[in-house]
Amino acid sequence: QVQLVQSGGGSVQAGGSLTLSCVASEYTSGPFCMGWLRQPPSKAREEVAAIDSEGSTSYASSVRGRFTISWDSANNTLYLQMNNLTPEDTAIYYCATPRSSTKRNCIYNFPAVVVQNGAFWGQGTQVTVSS
């Protein structure tokens, strides 16, 4: 059983920055794969970014160039550095790791694989960006 504990988030003005953290108690079996998803108010959950054990990453087009996902193996911590935030980034952010995943699915199909294969989830953290 993997436990994911999130921290960070909060409220910031447009153009500001925030960093989210997600500490993993242990890895799932199989290839390493972790990522962030978010759920804006009254909208469906959407991908933000994913990372695999080789450091390959993927980003939603809406955040590419502004957000950076990273993994600190020494501390079992996943990070999401968010810069130049806009009100459209307002959402509840979740870290997740699928119970199993190929490397390809991790990078190219992360939102689908966490649903299809099941996943462990962080508790969610609110990010609010004001204009």
Side-chain angles (χ1 to χ4, degrees):
Q1 187 79 3
V2 177
Q3 290 186 328
L4 302 178
V5 180
Q6 295 180 224
S7 61
S11 298
V12 66
Q13 290 191 325
S17 299
L18 288 172
T19 300
L20 305 183
S21 301
C22 174
V23 179
S25 60
E26 62 183 274
Y27 298 143
T28 59
S29 61
F32 170 86
C33 173
M34 294 193 74
W36 295 92
L37 300 101
R38 68 186 183 186
Q39 186 160 17
S42 303
K43 293 185 180 180
R45 189 170 59 200
E46 61 188 29
E47 178 185 14
V48 177
I51 187 168
D52 72 10
S53 56
E54 294 183 352
S56 297
T57 57
S58 63
Y59 294 93
S61 58
S62 59
V63 307
R64 191 175 294 118
R66 300 187 298 121
F67 290 13
T68 302
I69 188 172
S70 61
W71 170 253
D72 179 353
S73 58
N75 295 295
N76 281 7
T77 302
L78 181 73
Y79 295 100
L80 185 68
Q81 175 66 43
M82 304 183 292
N83 298 326
N84 194 22
L85 286 159
T86 73
E88 289 68 39
D89 296 315
T90 295
I92 300 175
Y93 285 70
Y94 298 91
C95 61
T97 182
R99 292 178 179 269
S100 65
S101 177
T102 64
K103 291 177 60 178
R104 180 176 179 82
N105 278 338
C106 179
I107 297 303
Y108 293 106
N109 299 301
F110 186 78
V113 77
V114 296
V115 172
Q116 294 170 1
N117 294 0
F120 300 99
W121 294 85
Q123 78 275 21
T125 187
Q126 178 70 46
V127 171
T128 302
V129 185
S130 58
S131 57

